[in-house]
Amino acid sequence: MLRGQTMHPKTRPLSCLSKNPRITADALSDKSGFDVYIPDLFNGDAIAPSFREGTPEVPGEQMSIGTKISFAGKFLTTLAPWLFRHRQAVTLPVVDKFFKTLRSKYGITRIQAVGYCFGGLYALLAGSKEHHLADAIVGCHVSLTNKTHYENLEVPVAFVCAQEDYQFTDALRAEAEQILSRKPEIPSKFLLTEGTLHGFAARPNPDNPVIMKAYKQANDFIVEWAKTHL
């Protein structure tokens, strides 16, 4: 979400393959009046939606034994190699170039980075002391992070959190809150949604009213953070 020399408040997808990010980006742009750009962090190599077939959608739901075995197999054969192909040494330069291009080519002066799941890590890096690519950030059910990422933040940061999240666990969220509470100069805020699991804000089920309510709450939260800090 951007403030600067923008032409019109609509989404500009940059090599984005999935429909979901475009739908969400259009909703954010319409609500905020800001331009929203979508990078392709994976060079067309996104994980297929079918990867998560059969996994729980609501808190407390358990996977069947068969689904657990199938998911473990897919992790070894699909997700693990994918994570290696898109390790930080590969992905961070893509992120760095994306933000710098927005400023140099499009004349953008203020940027809020919003990262979902895997992208949440790169939103945090974009708001870190080391990289400082963004002026405000929002992480939605962030993945692959540790306390160092929160200690290194130096821009206003907000988090959209699921009720149950195997990546951004209750313990990690509490640790992040504690770290940021010791940095009063950096505005921070956490939105904990009800009836949700990891991934809800990126791929909400339109037939589930509880998830759609949380999805809309997340979008409103992201927009409000941008309006406050851009």
CSV table of all heavy atoms in Angstrom, one decimal, residues 129-162:
chain,number,residue,atom,x,y,z
A,129,LYS,N,15.9,-2.9,10.9
A,129,LYS,CA,17.0,-1.9,10.9
A,129,LYS,C,17.9,-2.2,9.7
A,129,LYS,O,18.5,-1.2,9.1
A,129,LYS,CB,17.8,-2.0,12.2
A,129,LYS,CG,17.0,-1.7,13.4
A,129,LYS,CD,17.8,-2.0,14.7
A,129,LYS,CE,17.0,-1.8,15.9
A,129,LYS,NZ,17.7,-2.2,17.2
A,130,GLU,N,18.2,-3.4,9.4
A,130,GLU,CA,19.1,-3.8,8.4
A,130,GLU,C,18.7,-3.4,7.0
A,130,GLU,O,19.5,-2.9,6.2
A,130,GLU,CB,19.4,-5.3,8.4
A,130,GLU,CG,20.5,-5.7,7.4
A,130,GLU,CD,20.7,-7.2,7.4
A,130,GLU,OE1,20.1,-7.9,8.3
A,130,GLU,OE2,21.5,-7.7,6.7
A,131,HIS,N,17.4,-3.5,6.7
A,131,HIS,CA,17.0,-3.3,5.3
A,131,HIS,C,16.1,-2.1,5.1
A,131,HIS,O,16.3,-1.4,4.1
A,131,HIS,CB,16.2,-4.6,4.8
A,131,HIS,CG,17.0,-5.8,4.9
A,131,HIS,ND1,18.0,-6.1,4.0
A,131,HIS,CD2,16.9,-6.9,5.7
A,131,HIS,CE1,18.5,-7.3,4.3
A,131,HIS,NE2,17.9,-7.8,5.3
A,132,HIS,N,15.2,-1.8,6.0
A,132,HIS,CA,14.4,-0.6,6.0
A,132,HIS,C,13.9,-0.3,4.6
A,132,HIS,O,14.2,0.8,4.1
A,132,HIS,CB,15.1,0.6,6.6
A,132,HIS,CG,14.1,1.7,7.1
A,132,HIS,ND1,14.3,2.3,8.3
A,132,HIS,CD2,13.0,2.1,6.6
A,132,HIS,CE1,13.3,3.2,8.4
A,132,HIS,NE2,12.5,3.1,7.4
A,133,LEU,N,13.1,-1.2,4.1
A,133,LEU,CA,12.6,-1.0,2.7
A,133,LEU,C,11.2,-0.4,2.8
A,133,LEU,O,10.7,0.2,1.8
A,133,LEU,CB,12.5,-2.3,2.0
A,133,LEU,CG,13.9,-3.0,1.7
A,133,LEU,CD1,13.7,-4.4,1.3
A,133,LEU,CD2,14.7,-2.2,0.7
A,134,ALA,N,10.5,-0.5,3.9
A,134,ALA,CA,9.1,-0.1,4.0
A,134,ALA,C,9.0,0.9,5.2
A,134,ALA,O,9.9,0.9,6.1
A,134,ALA,CB,8.2,-1.3,4.3
A,135,ASP,N,7.9,1.7,5.2
A,135,ASP,CA,7.7,2.7,6.3
A,135,ASP,C,6.8,2.2,7.3
A,135,ASP,O,6.7,2.8,8.4
A,135,ASP,CB,7.2,4.0,5.6
A,135,ASP,CG,8.2,4.5,4.5
A,135,ASP,OD1,9.3,4.9,4.9
A,135,ASP,OD2,7.8,4.4,3.3
A,136,ALA,N,6.0,1.2,7.0
A,136,ALA,CA,5.1,0.5,8.0
A,136,ALA,C,4.9,-0.9,7.5
A,136,ALA,O,5.0,-1.1,6.3
A,136,ALA,CB,3.8,1.3,8.1
A,137,ILE,N,4.5,-1.8,8.4
A,137,ILE,CA,4.3,-3.2,7.9
A,137,ILE,C,3.2,-3.8,8.6
A,137,ILE,O,2.8,-3.4,9.8
A,137,ILE,CB,5.6,-4.0,8.1
A,137,ILE,CG1,6.0,-4.1,9.6
A,137,ILE,CG2,6.8,-3.5,7.3
A,137,ILE,CD1,7.1,-5.1,9.8
A,138,VAL,N,2.6,-4.8,8.0
A,138,VAL,CA,1.6,-5.6,8.6
A,138,VAL,C,1.9,-7.1,8.3
A,138,VAL,O,2.1,-7.4,7.1
A,138,VAL,CB,0.1,-5.3,8.1
A,138,VAL,CG1,-0.9,-6.3,8.8
A,138,VAL,CG2,-0.2,-3.9,8.4
A,139,GLY,N,2.0,-7.9,9.3
A,139,GLY,CA,2.2,-9.4,9.1
A,139,GLY,C,0.9,-10.1,9.4
A,139,GLY,O,0.4,-10.0,10.5
A,140,CYS,N,0.5,-10.9,8.4
A,140,CYS,CA,-0.7,-11.7,8.6
A,140,CYS,C,-0.3,-13.2,8.8
A,140,CYS,O,0.3,-13.8,7.9
A,140,CYS,CB,-1.6,-11.6,7.4
A,140,CYS,SG,-2.2,-9.9,7.1
A,141,HIS,N,-0.7,-13.8,9.9
A,141,HIS,CA,-0.3,-15.2,10.3
A,141,HIS,C,1.1,-15.5,9.7
A,141,HIS,O,1.3,-16.3,8.8
A,141,HIS,CB,-1.3,-16.2,9.8
A,141,HIS,CG,-2.0,-15.9,8.6
A,141,HIS,ND1,-1.4,-16.1,7.3
A,141,HIS,CD2,-3.3,-15.5,8.3
A,141,HIS,CE1,-2.3,-15.8,6.4
A,141,HIS,NE2,-3.4,-15.5,6.9
A,142,VAL,N,2.1,-14.7,10.2
A,142,VAL,CA,3.5,-14.8,9.6
A,142,VAL,C,4.1,-16.2,9.9
A,142,VAL,O,3.8,-16.9,10.8
A,142,VAL,CB,4.4,-13.7,10.3
A,142,VAL,CG1,3.8,-12.3,9.9
A,142,VAL,CG2,4.5,-13.9,11.8
A,143,SER,N,5.0,-16.6,9.0
A,143,SER,CA,5.7,-17.8,9.1
A,143,SER,C,7.2,-17.6,9.1
A,143,SER,O,7.7,-16.6,8.7
A,143,SER,CB,5.3,-18.7,7.8
A,143,SER,OG,4.0,-19.0,7.8
A,144,LEU,N,7.9,-18.7,9.6
A,144,LEU,CA,9.4,-18.8,9.5
A,144,LEU,C,10.1,-17.6,10.2
A,144,LEU,O,11.2,-17.3,9.9
A,144,LEU,CB,9.8,-18.8,8.0
A,144,LEU,CG,9.1,-19.8,7.1
A,144,LEU,CD1,9.5,-19.6,5.7
A,144,LEU,CD2,9.4,-21.2,7.6
A,145,THR,N,9.5,-17.1,11.3
A,145,THR,CA,10.1,-16.0,12.0
A,145,THR,C,10.6,-16.5,13.4
A,145,THR,O,10.1,-17.5,13.9
A,145,THR,CB,9.1,-14.8,12.2
A,145,THR,OG1,8.0,-15.3,13.1
A,145,THR,CG2,8.6,-14.4,10.9
A,146,ASN,N,11.5,-15.7,14.0
A,146,ASN,CA,11.9,-15.9,15.3
A,146,ASN,C,12.1,-14.6,16.1
A,146,ASN,O,11.9,-13.5,15.5
A,146,ASN,CB,13.2,-16.7,15.3
A,146,ASN,CG,14.3,-16.0,14.6
A,146,ASN,OD1,14.7,-14.9,14.8
A,146,ASN,ND2,14.9,-16.7,13.6
A,147,LYS,N,12.5,-14.6,17.3
A,147,LYS,CA,12.5,-13.4,18.1
A,147,LYS,C,13.4,-12.3,17.5
A,147,LYS,O,13.2,-11.1,17.7
A,147,LYS,CB,12.8,-13.7,19.6
A,147,LYS,CG,14.2,-14.1,19.8
A,147,LYS,CD,14.5,-14.3,21.3
A,147,LYS,CE,15.9,-14.6,21.6
A,147,LYS,NZ,16.2,-14.7,23.1
A,148,THR,N,14.5,-12.8,16.9
A,148,THR,CA,15.4,-11.8,16.3
A,148,THR,C,14.7,-10.9,15.3
A,148,THR,O,15.0,-9.7,15.2
A,148,THR,CB,16.6,-12.5,15.6
A,148,THR,OG1,17.2,-13.3,16.6
A,148,THR,CG2,17.6,-11.5,15.0
A,149,HIS,N,13.8,-11.4,14.5
A,149,HIS,CA,13.1,-10.6,13.5
A,149,HIS,C,12.3,-9.5,14.2
A,149,HIS,O,12.1,-8.4,13.7
A,149,HIS,CB,12.1,-11.5,12.7
A,149,HIS,CG,12.9,-12.5,11.9
A,149,HIS,ND1,12.7,-13.8,12.0
A,149,HIS,CD2,13.8,-12.3,10.8
A,149,HIS,CE1,13.5,-14.5,11.2
A,149,HIS,NE2,14.1,-13.6,10.4
A,150,TYR,N,11.7,-9.8,15.4
A,150,TYR,CA,10.9,-8.7,16.1
A,150,TYR,C,11.9,-7.7,16.8
A,150,TYR,O,11.5,-6.6,16.9
A,150,TYR,CB,10.0,-9.5,17.1
A,150,TYR,CG,9.1,-10.5,16.4
A,150,TYR,CD1,9.5,-11.8,16.4
A,150,TYR,CD2,8.0,-10.0,15.7
A,150,TYR,CE1,8.7,-12.7,15.7
A,150,TYR,CE2,7.3,-11.0,15.0
A,150,TYR,CZ,7.6,-12.3,15.0
A,150,TYR,OH,6.9,-13.2,14.3
A,151,GLU,N,13.0,-8.2,17.3
A,151,GLU,CA,14.0,-7.3,17.9
A,151,GLU,C,14.5,-6.3,17.0
A,151,GLU,O,14.9,-5.2,17.3
A,151,GLU,CB,15.1,-8.2,18.5
A,151,GLU,CG,14.7,-9.0,19.7
A,151,GLU,CD,15.7,-10.0,20.2
A,151,GLU,OE1,16.6,-10.3,19.4
A,151,GLU,OE2,15.6,-10.5,21.3
A,152,ASN,N,14.6,-6.7,15.7
A,152,ASN,CA,15.2,-5.8,14.7
A,152,ASN,C,14.2,-4.9,14.0
A,152,ASN,O,14.7,-4.1,13.1
A,152,ASN,CB,15.9,-6.7,13.6
A,152,ASN,CG,17.1,-7.4,14.1
A,152,ASN,OD1,17.7,-6.9,15.1
A,152,ASN,ND2,17.5,-8.5,13.5
A,153,LEU,N,13.0,-4.9,14.4
A,153,LEU,CA,12.0,-4.0,13.7
A,153,LEU,C,12.2,-2.5,14.1
A,153,LEU,O,12.6,-2.3,15.3
A,153,LEU,CB,10.6,-4.4,14.1
A,153,LEU,CG,10.1,-5.7,13.5
A,153,LEU,CD1,8.8,-6.1,14.2
A,153,LEU,CD2,9.9,-5.6,12.0
A,154,GLU,N,12.0,-1.6,13.2
A,154,GLU,CA,12.2,-0.2,13.5
A,154,GLU,C,11.1,0.7,12.8
A,154,GLU,O,11.2,1.9,12.8
A,154,GLU,CB,13.6,0.3,13.1
A,154,GLU,CG,13.8,0.3,11.6
A,154,GLU,CD,15.1,1.0,11.3
A,154,GLU,OE1,15.9,1.4,12.2
A,154,GLU,OE2,15.4,1.2,10.1
A,155,VAL,N,10.0,0.1,12.3
A,155,VAL,CA,8.9,0.9,11.7
A,155,VAL,C,7.6,0.4,12.4
A,155,VAL,O,7.6,-0.7,13.0
A,155,VAL,CB,8.9,0.7,10.2
A,155,VAL,CG1,10.2,1.1,9.6
A,155,VAL,CG2,8.5,-0.7,9.8
A,156,PRO,N,6.6,1.2,12.3
A,156,PRO,CA,5.3,0.8,12.9
A,156,PRO,C,4.9,-0.6,12.3
A,156,PRO,O,4.9,-0.8,11.1
A,156,PRO,CB,4.3,1.9,12.4
A,156,PRO,CG,5.2,3.1,12.3
A,156,PRO,CD,6.5,2.6,11.8
A,157,VAL,N,4.5,-1.5,13.2
A,157,VAL,CA,4.2,-2.9,12.8
A,157,VAL,C,2.9,-3.4,13.5
A,157,VAL,O,2.6,-3.1,14.6
A,157,VAL,CB,5.4,-3.8,13.2
A,157,VAL,CG1,5.7,-3.7,14.7
A,157,VAL,CG2,5.1,-5.3,12.9
A,158,ALA,N,2.1,-4.0,12.7
A,158,ALA,CA,0.9,-4.6,13.1
A,158,ALA,C,0.8,-6.1,12.7
A,158,ALA,O,1.4,-6.5,11.7
A,158,ALA,CB,-0.3,-3.9,12.6
A,159,PHE,N,0.0,-6.9,13.5
A,159,PHE,CA,-0.1,-8.3,13.2
A,159,PHE,C,-1.5,-8.7,13.1
A,159,PHE,O,-2.3,-8.4,14.1
A,159,PHE,CB,0.7,-9.1,14.2
A,159,PHE,CG,2.2,-8.9,14.2
A,159,PHE,CD1,2.7,-7.9,15.0
A,159,PHE,CD2,3.0,-9.7,13.4
A,159,PHE,CE1,4.1,-7.7,15.0
A,159,PHE,CE2,4.4,-9.4,13.3
A,159,PHE,CZ,4.9,-8.5,14.2
A,160,VAL,N,-1.9,-9.5,12.1
A,160,VAL,CA,-3.2,-10.1,12.0
A,160,VAL,C,-2.9,-11.6,12.4
A,160,VAL,O,-2.1,-12.3,11.8
A,160,VAL,CB,-3.8,-10.1,10.6
A,160,VAL,CG1,-5.0,-10.9,10.5
A,160,VAL,CG2,-4.1,-8.6,10.2
A,161,CYS,N,-3.6,-12.0,13.5
A,161,CYS,CA,-3.3,-13.3,14.1
A,161,CYS,C,-4.5,-14.3,14.0
A,161,CYS,O,-5.6,-13.9,14.2
A,161,CYS,CB,-2.8,-13.2,15.5
A,161,CYS,SG,-1.6,-11.9,15.8
A,162,ALA,N,-4.2,-15.5,13.8
A,162,ALA,CA,-5.2,-16.6,13.8
A,162,ALA,C,-5.4,-17.1,15.2
A,162,ALA,O,-4.5,-17.0,16.0
A,162,ALA,CB,-4.9,-17.7,12.9
